[in-house]
Amino acid sequence: MSTREPVSQLSEGGRGRKRATAFPPSPLLASAELPKSAEGDPVFAEPWQATAFAMTVRLHEQGVFSWSEWAEALSAELYKPGRRADASDYYDCWVVALSRLVTGLSIASGPELDALTRSWQRAAEATPHGKPIVIENDPLR
Amino acid sequence: MSEHHHGHGHDHHHHDNHFTDMEARVKALETVLTEKGLIDPAAIDAIVETYETKVGPRNGARVVAKAWGDPEFAAWLKRDATAAIASLGFTGRQGEHMRAVFNTPDTHNLVVCTLCSCYPWAVLGLPPVWYKAPPYRSRAVIDPRGVLAEFGLELSAEKKIRVWDSTAELRYLVVPERPDGTEDFSEEQLAELVTRDSMIGTGLALSPEAAR
């Protein structure tokens, strides 16, 4: 099965709290080609996609970059040749766009991000089951 | 009274956890942005929580609905959940084994362990943020009845609570009891009653009235 299918739209259960309106809508919801449910909420195929989305919303809220800077960075990735025909790489493009903004704004360098990425991968491999994966678990750190 | 079960395979010293390139890159961005004071992990969690029910295919609801309506499928699910779930076209990303635990009038099941990457979110949906907190995990094992009561799930003292701790190889799906008044419901309608919380055992399936 593909985990990239649109998520099913099931009613909110649990403790009866409806949280989808807890935040003012971010302008980032207008991002080009953003995968959305019938109700207009963003949908995510995997948890990391939701984290990437949330970080971008937050950075924009904090004024780290403007809407047009974001739109331009995202478009540059989305309209590159070689995208998957089923658009299942949408959030891959999103993360690359976000990384480029972060390095372009000198918040971190490309090599620094690459090194941290590898560090997290080693940390995950080194973390036993049942323990939280923290970067300090990277044996080379 | 409660029991604490571990799945099979305690001696799994091979890699329990793995991050894909994208997962690791997102963690790297989170680390750097947090260090620079540009984001606060709690704020990110809060935004993610807004959308937590929008993540993943959440196909567990369809598995439960089918089990409610089809006794043969239910028996298969009980015997070999991995194969029964795969027969619907759902397989875990890492091919993990699933075990279905069935709530009955005298037993309630609760799943803990979301601390590592072994949580089957593709089946259950994203875990709630509080569920990943270490205090929840330890308290759920020691005092499941008290923890459930905090979530508004009051179980009678006679009801036995079984707590299941997933391992790297074995993940659990709680099959909640079918709500009353759903005899003429289609599988699709039934699936709408199956919440994420009911599949991890911190809630029950919705009543037809509550789902409306």
Side-chain angles (χ1 to χ4, degrees):
Chain A
M1 185 218 75
S2 165
T3 56
R4 312 277 190 186
E5 309 180 324
V7 301
S8 50
Q9 293 303 311
L10 301 175
S11 39
E12 167 80 293
R15 290 163 287 160
R17 283 198 282 140
K18 192 87 183 161
R19 282 171 304 219
T21 53
F23 292 86
S26 167
L28 266 76
L29 289 168
S31 294
E33 296 178 28
L34 184 74
K36 285 185 192 169
S37 69
E39 293 86 31
D41 293 317
V43 293
F44 308 97
E46 302 191 23
W48 62 266
Q49 300 176 354
T51 308
F53 177 82
M55 288 195 295
T56 316
V57 165
R58 199 71 191 123
L59 290 174
H60 174 260
E61 276 173 4
Q62 309 260 68
V64 174
F65 45 73
S66 68
W67 159 247
S68 57
E69 284 174 304
W70 167 248
E72 200 178 307
L74 181 61
S75 297
E77 296 308 319
L78 291 179
Y79 304 123
K80 263 191 183 159
R83 290 264 334 259
R84 281 182 220 146
D86 63 0
S88 61
D89 56 355
Y90 182 82
Y91 273 101
D92 297 44
C93 296
W94 183 291
V95 170
V96 174
L98 180 59
S99 306
R100 281 189 197 281
L101 274 179
V102 164
T103 54
L105 293 166
S106 304
I107 296 167
S109 71
E112 199 182 336
L113 275 182
D114 291 344
L116 266 175
T117 301
R118 287 192 298 273
S119 190
W120 271 109
Q121 276 174 322
R122 287 189 300 264
E125 303 282 331
T127 303
H129 169 79
K131 298 278 183 274
I133 299 170
V134 290
I135 197 160
E136 288 75 18
N137 292 355
D138 172 13
L140 301 185
R141 196 173 162 88
Chain B
M1 129 185 82
S2 76
E3 299 172 20
H4 183 212
H5 295 260
H6 280 273
H8 306 290
H10 272 285
D11 49 345
H12 43 270
H13 294 303
H14 62 274
H15 297 154
D16 285 346
N17 289 300
H18 172 76
F19 277 161
T20 63
D21 289 345
M22 277 295 149
E23 283 170 324
R25 175 147 293 261
V26 168
K27 292 301 283 182
L29 282 163
E30 199 177 6
T31 304
V32 111
L33 294 167
T34 306
E35 277 171 5
K36 307 271 173 181
L38 294 171
I39 60 168
D40 162 14
I44 300 305
D45 278 352
I47 298 171
V48 170
E49 197 178 19
T50 313
Y51 300 115
E52 73 187 19
T53 59
K54 307 286 181 193
V55 178
R58 300 187 65 231
N59 42 39
R62 288 174 53 201
V63 173
V64 171
K66 189 164 176 64
W68 283 345
D70 179 346
E72 265 183 48
F73 181 79
W76 188 13
L77 187 63
K78 196 174 268 178
R79 205 169 57 240
D80 185 355
T82 311
I85 292 170
S87 77
L88 299 181
F90 311 145
T91 47
R93 192 171 47 151
Q94 301 135 12
E96 62 263 21
H97 287 276
M98 296 285 303
R99 174 159 175 200
V101 288
F102 288 68
N103 286 350
T104 66
D106 41 47
T107 306
H108 182 84
N109 294 284
L110 173 65
V111 182
V112 295
C113 184
T114 57
L115 293 177
C116 49
S117 58
C118 72
Y119 178 84
W121 52 264
V123 174
L124 302 180
L126 200 66
V129 169
W130 48 262
Y131 195 73
K132 291 186 282 188
Y136 165 78
R137 175 193 163 90
S138 46
R139 287 194 48 226
V141 171
I142 298 161
D143 178 24
R145 201 174 302 272
V147 169
L148 290 176
E150 280 171 32
F151 293 126
L153 183 57
E154 301 272 359
L155 297 174
S156 70
E158 299 83 59
K159 196 158 209 164
K160 195 158 87 175
I161 301 174
R162 305 181 94 174
V163 180
W164 302 89
D165 190 352
S166 2
T167 69
E169 292 86 15
L170 191 60
R171 328 285 160 96
Y172 294 94
L173 162 72
V174 175
V175 179
E177 287 183 276
R178 180 172 176 162
D180 292 333
T182 57
E183 292 72 21
D184 53 353
F185 272 38
S186 67
E187 227 171 87
E188 286 72 34
Q189 287 173 305
L190 287 174
E192 302 219 348
L193 305 178
V194 185
T195 62
R196 185 270 322 274
D197 288 0
S198 73
M199 293 187 285
I200 59 181
T202 56
L204 304 176
L206 300 177
S207 69
E209 297 76 39
R212 219 172 275 131

